[in-house]
Amino acid sequence: GWQKSTVLRAIRLPMLLLLSWAASILVINRLFWLVFDHFPLLRLPQTPLSLQAASIGLILVFRTNQTNDRLREAQKEMGRLASVEKEILQMLLTHVPPGQMSVVCLIARYLAMFGWTLKAELWESDTRRAESLTKQILPEEEFTW
């Protein structure tokens, strides 16, 4: 949401300063206009604002499209990653002798964990959940390693 926005956090102080400055000028102008009969009321034409609104709208549309493209690309890469994980497991099941199935099981656990740990690293807020999942999936000696 907008509460977690890094852009809004970065510009909040200048924005509050400009907003308070504009509000104080508006209030002072209205007070002077009410007290003095010959004092002019400040008004601005709407044309510059409409031109700015159109350009800001175009920038926002471009940023949204760019974000959607990046999301689609990330989803494709995650799909490729899942298929590579399946191929690795199929190759292990095919080529590893039956006496070493414990190694295949361990590698399968690592492959199952990979998505969770990647999510935890990317989101940086889910690390405890991924760690508890890792602790449940891996044997004790592998987890402590």
Side-chain angles (χ1 to χ4, degrees):
W2 61 270
Q3 296 93 349
K4 296 181 182 179
S5 172
T6 56
V7 174
L8 287 179
R9 264 190 261 144
I11 66 169
R12 75 172 172 239
L13 293 177
M15 184 66 93
L16 287 174
L17 179 69
L18 290 173
L19 185 65
S20 61
W21 174 258
S24 63
I25 293 296
L26 180 68
V27 168
I28 290 170
N29 182 254
R30 294 287 172 163
L31 289 175
F32 273 97
W33 182 69
L34 289 173
V35 173
F36 303 113
D37 291 334
H38 63 281
F39 197 80
L41 184 62
L42 293 178
R43 294 178 190 234
L44 293 174
Q46 296 296 316
T47 306
L49 292 176
S50 64
L51 293 174
Q52 285 180 344
S55 62
I56 289 173
L58 288 174
I59 289 172
L60 287 176
V61 166
F62 175 71
R63 294 281 311 250
T64 304
N65 288 344
Q66 188 179 23
T67 302
N68 286 336
D69 290 343
R70 290 177 66 192
L71 178 64
R72 279 191 214 102
E73 184 179 341
Q75 288 172 340
K76 283 181 194 175
E77 294 301 321
M78 285 301 291
R80 285 186 195 140
L81 187 63
S83 66
V84 167
E85 286 179 352
K86 288 177 189 175
E87 287 177 17
I88 290 171
L89 195 56
Q90 288 171 353
M91 287 173 55
L92 285 171
L93 288 171
T94 303
H95 298 293
V96 172
Q100 295 181 341
M101 277 299 151
S102 62
V103 174
V104 175
C105 289
L106 183 62
I107 293 172
R109 289 177 181 177
Y110 275 116
L111 290 174
M113 255 179 10
F114 180 73
W116 289 98
T117 54
L118 181 64
K119 178 184 173 188
E121 284 296 319
L122 292 176
W123 284 89
E124 294 180 2
S125 63
D126 212 9
T127 55
R128 285 178 285 156
R129 185 174 178 194
E131 188 175 320
S132 68
L133 181 71
T134 305
K135 195 173 193 175
Q136 290 175 2
I137 290 177
L138 289 180
E140 186 66 32
E141 63 273 1
E142 286 290 323
F143 177 75
T144 56
W145 179 76

